[in-house]
Amino acid sequence: MMHLPKQFLFFCAALLCVALNAANVGAKPVVGGPVYLYVSPATEQYMASQQQYYAMVYKRWRQQLPRYGEQAREVTREQLLAGLTPGVLILPAAIALDSEERVSIGKFAAGGGSLLGSGEIGTRDALGEYVGLDFLHTTFRVQTEGF
């Protein structure tokens, strides 16, 4: 496992946002499978309880989906739980995830899907309680330091 300090993770997330903005002026990207955007209801509820506007985070990702053609779409919780064909699953700042979301995301990755996320993904449960970094460590196969 890789050991990454917290500051480096946030730097990478910021760099990714810059890259996405810069990519707006380029050619249409090439993707070898479906691209899914998942907006977690648990994260939306948690961020609202913290007076944060989750849509400010995921709307940037949503704006990029048309660039990937017909294979790119937003998926609901029900679709995630039912299972997705391997591709790329985008989890923008999905800090709070319920247990079923966690299992489905893990199955997606184990089945050959790729994950693209930002922030402290899955560090809170459906009630917004801090549950640690285990989901981030096991699902994204990273190790963090300095939290």
Side-chain angles (χ1 to χ4, degrees), residues 58-133:
Y58 65 74
K59 78 175 186 177
R60 294 181 186 124
W61 296 91
R62 187 180 278 161
Q63 291 168 345
Q64 297 297 319
L65 285 182
R67 298 184 66 229
Y68 295 92
E70 294 176 7
Q71 292 192 71
R73 63 189 170 98
E74 192 166 338
V75 294
T76 65
R77 181 178 183 280
E78 292 72 25
Q79 291 170 317
L80 175 70
L81 299 185
L84 302 170
T85 302
V88 177
L89 178 60
I90 303 170
L91 303 165
I95 188 170
L97 296 170
D98 66 39
S99 59
E100 293 176 302
E101 289 173 311
R102 291 169 193 275
V103 168
S104 295
I105 292 165
K107 285 182 181 178
F108 176 81
S114 297
L115 301 173
L116 175 59
S118 60
E120 299 173 354
I121 298 170
T123 56
R124 296 188 177 274
D125 65 14
L127 300 175
E129 297 296 320
Y130 183 75
V131 294
L133 301 167

Side-chain angles (χ1 to χ4, degrees), residues 6-28:
K6 180 179 180 180
Q7 295 81 5
F8 179 74
L9 291 174
F10 289 121
F11 171 76
C12 289
L15 189 59
L16 178 60
C17 289
V18 170
L20 285 174
N21 287 334
N24 269 334
V25 297
K28 184 175 179 180

Side-chain angles (χ1 to χ4, degrees), residues 4 14 21 24 27 30 32 34 37-38 53 56 58 80 88 91 114 125 134 141 147:
L4 301 173
N21 287 334
N24 269 334
V30 177
L37 173 64
Y38 182 64
Y53 192 52
M56 293 298 290
Y58 65 74
L80 175 70
V88 177
L91 303 165
S114 297
D125 65 14
D134 290 344
R141 296 187 181 129
F147 281 84

